[in-house]
Amino acid sequence: MSTASRTTTSTTVGIVGGGPAGLMLSHLLAIAGIDSVVIDDRTRTEIENTVRAGILEAGSVRLLTDTGVGGRVLREGIAH
């Protein structure tokens, strides 16, 4: 049995999975003023430090940059 603490949270949207799609969905909902909670079995630090996709389509890069979270992809990405 896990010894992790539990908290109760009230939100409009619950998102299962803190991968790229879940985090982007949460970000887009926040821009639209909609509360959400992302649930994952990894810690926030693990999620933030996981290296993701090797290739991003141009539309994905545009969405990241247009919504203000494209800094890392623009700094570290290599255009193909």
Side-chain angles (χ1 to χ4, degrees), residues 3-10 37-39:
T3 59
S5 64
R6 293 179 182 220
T7 51
T8 300
T9 302
S10 177
V37 172
V38 179
I39 299 170

Side-chain angles (χ1 to χ4, degrees), residues 43-76:
T43 66
R44 181 182 183 126
T45 300
E46 289 172 317
I47 292 169
E48 289 175 346
N49 290 303
T50 299
V51 176
R52 296 290 176 190
I55 298 175
L56 293 174
E57 297 297 326
S60 297
V61 174
R62 192 169 31 259
L63 179 62
L64 289 165
T65 57
D66 288 352
T67 61
V69 292
R72 182 176 175 193
V73 74
L74 294 176
R75 265 190 328 275
E76 299 176 20

